[in-house]
């Protein structure tokens, strides 16, 4: 979808004007990505993965192999669907000991840390994702961090607020300088009168 076709309000990104979207285009993923995320080994069983995701109150986990390289993603909704299949003993269903590498999503979207947040936003909206793995350009299997949908809303609000403050920075600096000078003068008067 084009940037004009992005449904930002639906995603929790509250940009009031077209200028706000332009500001968000200047924000790189590196400035807002998280380095803490749930990672599960590809060999982990469905049962243990379900438990780990529930215990961590996580929406999505990254599935990594023995070399710590990205194999895929698995979300809470996918885990729940697989557990329902196990419980109903549906034909072709999964067993509780099925390894994640056999059930995780291996056709996933990702982002690079030098891309703009709006580029990632398009990908997140395309598949209604909660997060995107942020990977190395040299080795797309190497995870650098994650970008969550709610971080984009925060990044938008922060970038727009910072842009709106730009005309006032000289005033803020002058106010801070005057306040510091007055405090210094008041403090020196107190010291000299003692």
């Amino acid at each position: 979808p084009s940037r004009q076709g992005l449904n930002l309000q639906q995603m929790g990104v509250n940009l009031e004007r077209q200028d706000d979207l332009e500001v968000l285009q200047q924000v790189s993923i590196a400035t807002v990505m998280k380095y803490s995320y749930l990672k599960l080994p590809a060999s982990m069983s469905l049962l243990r993965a379900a438990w780990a995701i529930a215990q961590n109150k996580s929406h999505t986990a990254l599935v990594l192999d023995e070399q710590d390289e990205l194999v895929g993603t698995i979300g809470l909704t996918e885990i729940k669907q697989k557990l329902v299949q196990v419980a109903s003993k549906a034909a072709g269903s999964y067993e509780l000991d099925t390894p994640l590498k056999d059930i995780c999503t291996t056709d996933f979207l990702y982002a690079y840390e030098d891309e703009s947040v709006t580029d990632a936003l398009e990908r997140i909206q395309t598949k209604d994702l909660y997060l995107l793995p942020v990977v190395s350009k040299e080795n797309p299997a190497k995870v650098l961090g994650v970008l969550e949908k709610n971080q984009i809303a925060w990044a938008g609000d922060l970038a727009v607020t910072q842009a709106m403050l730009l005309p006032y920075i000289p005033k803020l600096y002058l106010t801070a300088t005057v306040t510091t000078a007055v405090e210094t003068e008041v403090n020196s008067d107190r010291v000299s009168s003692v």
Side-chain angles (χ1 to χ4, degrees), residues 12-40:
V13 179
N14 190 16
L15 301 177
E16 309 278 324
R17 308 175 319 247
Q18 180 63 28
D19 293 348
D20 296 350
L21 182 57
E22 290 170 11
V23 168
L24 188 59
Q25 288 171 337
Q26 304 305 312
V27 177
S28 76
I29 290 172
T31 61
V32 295
M33 73 180 193
K34 291 174 74 173
Y35 298 95
S36 174
Y37 52 90
L38 181 60
K39 55 183 177 179
L40 302 175

Side-chain angles (χ1 to χ4, degrees), residues 105-176:
T105 301
T106 56
D107 181 26
F108 53 88
L109 299 175
Y110 53 85
Y112 299 118
E113 62 184 341
D114 63 348
E115 289 183 279
S116 97
V117 170
T118 52
D119 293 337
L121 187 61
E122 287 181 28
R123 278 180 238 138
I124 285 175
Q125 185 175 354
T126 298
K127 292 206 175 182
D128 193 29
L129 301 173
Y130 178 75
L131 65 73
L132 281 177
V134 180
V135 299
S136 164
K137 279 188 174 180
E138 294 77 35
N139 178 7
K142 180 178 173 26
V143 179
L144 303 175
V146 296
L147 180 66
E148 295 177 350
K149 186 189 308 188
N150 61 352
Q151 289 171 275
I152 294 174
W154 171 81
D157 289 344
L158 180 63
V160 170
T161 300
Q162 288 172 331
M164 292 175 74
L165 283 172
L166 284 176
Y168 303 104
I169 288 176
K171 191 177 205 176
L172 286 171
Y173 179 74
L174 180 61
T175 304

